[in-house]
Structure formats: C-alpha cells, structure tokens
Amino acid sequence: MKHAVQQLFEMRLARSTKAFTARGGRVQRCDQCRIDRQFCICTLRPSAPSNAAFLLLYYDDEVLKPSNSGRLIADLFSDTFAYIWQRTEAEPALLALLKDPTWRPIVVFPQEYATPERELCQPEALDLAGRRPLFILLDGSWREAKKMFRKSPYLDGFPVWSVTPEAPSRYQVRKAAKEVQLATAEVAAMLLSELGETANSALLHAWFDLFSYRYQMGVKRVNRGDAGAEARLAALRQ
C-alpha cells in the first residue's frame, strides 16, 4: 500500500501543467524511493511502530523534489499524513485530522518565532491527556517554511515544539540556508529521541543516511554520505 507522501506525490504530479525538472533530471528514478533505479533502496525499507504521528505540510511543489526527506518518515511510520499547504482554504480532511481527539497537534518550529504562550520546550511539559502527539512539520525551503508558519491561521491554536541541533545536518544532497538547519527527517528523528523512542530515532537516522548515500551515487557527484549506513540499518533491524 502506498503511504501518504507517495499518494500526495502522485496527486501533485498528475495536476502539473508542465514537467517538473529537478537537478539530476536525466536520472532514471525509482517511482517510490526517487533514487536512481540501479541504487534503489525500496527492498531495504524498514517499518516500526511509534506512539508519535507526523503531519507533513508541503509547500506547493516540494513533494515533487526527489531529494525531499519527508517521505523517509512515511516510509517507516504508518501514522504519517501529508497535504499541500494552503494559506486560507485548507483541505477539509486536514482540518478534520487536526480536530480528531486521537491526536495532540504540535507545530514543530524554532521557538524564537513563537509567542511565549505557544512555546513548548521540554517533553515533560507536554500535556497529552490520553492523546497521541501529532507533530506538524512544515516542509519547504526556509523562506517557505517561515511563510507557512506565519500564514496558517488554522495552526495558531497549537503549541510549538522546538528542537536544538547538537551538530550540523548530515544531509549532503541539499544545502541548507543555515548550518544549523536540519532536513525534515532529521528533525523527526530528534523528536522521537526526545519522546524516549531512541530505537525509532536511530532507525530513522540510519534510513536517512542510507537514502543520502544512495541518492548521491545516482547523481554522479562526489559522495560525502555514510558508506556504512546500510550495515548500520541492517544491525538495527536484527
């Protein structure tokens, strides 16, 4: 069964009026993992149960980019939801998800952009009241993510959870605007660690590293990825 990000990718691709061209456009990519077919990682994909869920809000064509790391979260965790961001006319299904009593929606964003009453810094301060955390990740460029955060009135009532990177991003596929900015999958792995799901965090980190390494193999550039990622992933799955 196709996960939420793959379904969104296919929907967004179907309504495109012109072909989407990314770097490495001549690469013959796998339809699922979006890596050069000869380096496909689909058969290595793990899965894991988690108490956390993730809601990916994509800025327009971000979901079409083969280098996007948000899909890696959906690869592992079945409770991952994905929608294209709309400023005022959010999809009814998205609004229904945010109102579902199963979930405790939490916007993930740097605390300096949040008002004090929305700030949520420590896991122990999280009041779930029997609900499961639904982490809302704004997936786009830094400029796009800031716009999404500022102009999403349907998210204003939710607390903000900030993560503090302990090291620069390990993602060599795309260059961030700032060294401290992490890829979406790296942020999700940190959230899992802060929730105490250290095994899931390590699994997502390994899956992310494998994706980064194999992706670079396909675009014929100097590969700065982790050559040991596949072995590390296999060890975690035992």
Side-chain angles (χ1 to χ4, degrees):
M1 181 178 178
K2 297 175 182 177
H3 59 54
V5 175
Q6 182 64 22
Q7 293 178 44
L8 186 67
F9 164 77
E10 293 179 1
M11 180 275 290
R12 179 62 179 81
L13 188 64
R15 67 178 177 83
S16 297
T17 57
K18 60 180 180 180
F20 178 81
T21 303
R23 291 182 180 180
R26 296 182 179 179
V27 173
Q28 298 298 308
R29 300 186 184 278
C30 168
D31 292 336
Q32 303 295 318
C33 69
R34 309 296 294 140
I35 295 174
D36 188 321
R37 289 173 182 167
Q38 61 183 317
F39 305 118
C40 171
I41 59 174
C42 290
T43 59
L44 301 173
R45 189 176 89 181
S47 62
S50 173
N51 187 54
F54 298 92
L55 167 56
L56 298 167
L57 282 183
Y58 282 99
Y59 192 92
D60 193 34
D61 62 359
E62 177 65 33
V63 73
L64 296 177
K65 298 177 181 178
S67 57
N68 176 268
S69 72
R71 71 168 45 245
L72 304 176
I73 304 169
D75 285 343
L76 270 62
F77 307 111
S78 59
D79 286 325
T80 301
F81 309 90
Y83 295 92
I84 300 294
W85 175 75
Q86 302 289 337
R87 185 172 70 86
T88 57
E89 298 181 3
E91 292 186 39
L94 167 59
L95 297 179
L97 175 67
L98 295 174
K99 294 177 181 178
D100 188 329
T102 303
W103 311 112
R104 173 56 161 142
I106 303 162
V107 180
V108 181
F109 213 70
Q111 64 184 33
E112 60 263 32
Y113 294 92
T115 55
E117 62 269 18
R118 292 186 69 192
E119 187 175 325
L120 177 66
C121 296
Q122 301 297 328
E124 56 267 25
L126 180 60
D127 179 17
L128 292 176
R131 295 171 291 176
R132 293 171 58 194
L134 175 65
F135 291 113
I136 303 169
L137 302 172
L138 308 179
D139 207 333
S141 69
W142 178 233
R143 178 183 60 81
E144 292 165 347
K146 287 191 293 184
K147 179 179 179 181
M148 295 162 73
F149 184 76
R150 293 195 311 266
K151 298 185 176 183
S152 303
Y154 49 90
L155 299 181
D156 288 346
F158 303 129
V160 175
W161 187 307
S162 301
V163 297
T164 303
E166 298 178 352
S169 172
R170 299 201 303 269
Y171 204 24
Q172 297 86 19
V173 172
R174 294 166 69 171
K175 184 174 178 59
K178 298 180 181 180
E179 189 178 63
V180 295
Q181 291 172 3
L182 302 179
T184 303
E186 290 179 298
V187 172
M190 286 192 65
L191 292 168
L192 290 167
S193 179
E194 292 185 2
L195 282 180
E197 296 190 11
T198 55
N200 280 343
S201 177
L203 192 66
L204 182 53
H205 271 305
W207 184 237
F208 169 82
D209 287 340
L210 177 60
F211 172 83
S212 178
Y213 181 72
R214 290 284 190 93
Y215 188 99
Q216 291 179 74
M217 290 175 70
V219 295
K220 315 299 182 185
R221 64 173 67 181
V222 175
N223 196 330
R224 299 182 177 87
D226 180 1
E230 183 175 345
R232 184 155 49 90
L233 179 68
L236 290 169
R237 297 179 68 178
Q238 292 179 354

